[in-house]
């Protein structure tokens, strides 16, 4: 019945892997499955531990680097959190100037300010944006969306 403990450990390590997405805990889960197989075949506990260690080490050293390269090559560079907001369109909720304002961005209210976009004469092309006007996010500065008029 000790093989059930190994299976449980593999499941717990698999759940932890979903939070880290680094493939380390997945390789350890594979080692735990190796320990479970050794236990199911009637091996002593110390043999199960050695099987776990060897399988996990082989997976970490041989499979994980290849899997990470493959994952990086097949997954596009995804922008997350604030980076994902850059380039999106939004609507001005209040007057937006170079110091402050509010926008509706993806259904959320954000603080905003106009980007410094000088024209050929060195002055800003827009002094402010009126409420209801469309803007585009060009950067995120802390918790403030930096926008330009659309």
């Amino acid at each position: 019945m000790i093989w059930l403990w190994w299976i449980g450990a593999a499941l717990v390590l698999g759940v932890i892997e979903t939070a880290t997405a680094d493939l380390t805990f997945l390789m350890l889960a594979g080692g735990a499955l190796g320990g479970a197989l050794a236990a199911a075949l009637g091996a002593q506990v110390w043999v199960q531990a050695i099987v776990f260690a060897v399988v996990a080490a082989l997976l970490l050293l041989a499979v994980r680097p290849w899997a990470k390269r493959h994952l990086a090559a097949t997954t596009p560079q995804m922008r997350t959190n604030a980076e994902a907001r850059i380039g999106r369109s939004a609507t001005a909720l209040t007057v937006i100037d170079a110091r402050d304002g509010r926008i509706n961005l993806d259904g959320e209210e954000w603080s905003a300010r106009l980007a410094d976009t000088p024209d050929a004469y060195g002055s800003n092309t827009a002094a402010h944006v009126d409420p209801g006007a469309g803007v585009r996010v060009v950067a995120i500065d802390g918790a403030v969306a930096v926008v330009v008029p659309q």
Side-chain angles (χ1 to χ4, degrees):
M1 290 299 281
I2 195 163
W3 64 272
L4 285 174
W5 287 100
W6 285 108
I7 297 292
L11 290 173
V12 168
L13 290 166
V15 169
I16 294 171
E17 177 61 38
T18 62
T20 63
D22 190 43
L23 301 181
T24 301
F25 288 98
L26 187 62
M27 302 303 130
L28 294 175
L33 290 176
L37 180 62
L41 294 174
Q44 303 254 343
V45 173
W46 65 272
V47 174
Q48 296 169 29
I50 290 174
V51 169
F52 164 76
V54 168
V55 171
L58 287 174
L59 289 172
L60 283 168
L61 296 174
V63 176
R64 182 176 173 267
W66 170 83
K68 284 194 66 136
R69 279 193 309 273
H70 179 70
L71 190 62
T74 59
T75 305
Q77 295 296 329
M78 293 179 45
R79 296 185 306 173
T80 60
N81 302 329
E83 284 182 355
R85 311 290 184 170
I86 297 172
R88 299 257 175 116
S89 295
T91 304
L93 297 175
T94 64
V95 174
I96 303 171
D97 58 24
R99 294 185 322 134
D100 65 353
R102 305 293 288 176
I103 61 170
N104 182 342
L105 176 61
D106 294 334
E108 298 175 346
E109 188 171 330
W110 278 67
S111 296
R113 67 175 169 82
L114 283 177
D116 296 327
T117 54
D119 59 15
Y121 303 106
S123 63
N124 278 350
T125 56
H128 71 279
V129 173
D130 293 322
V135 294
R136 184 174 46 83
V137 178
V138 294
I140 301 292
D141 183 16
V144 178
V146 181
V147 299
V148 294
Q150 280 188 331

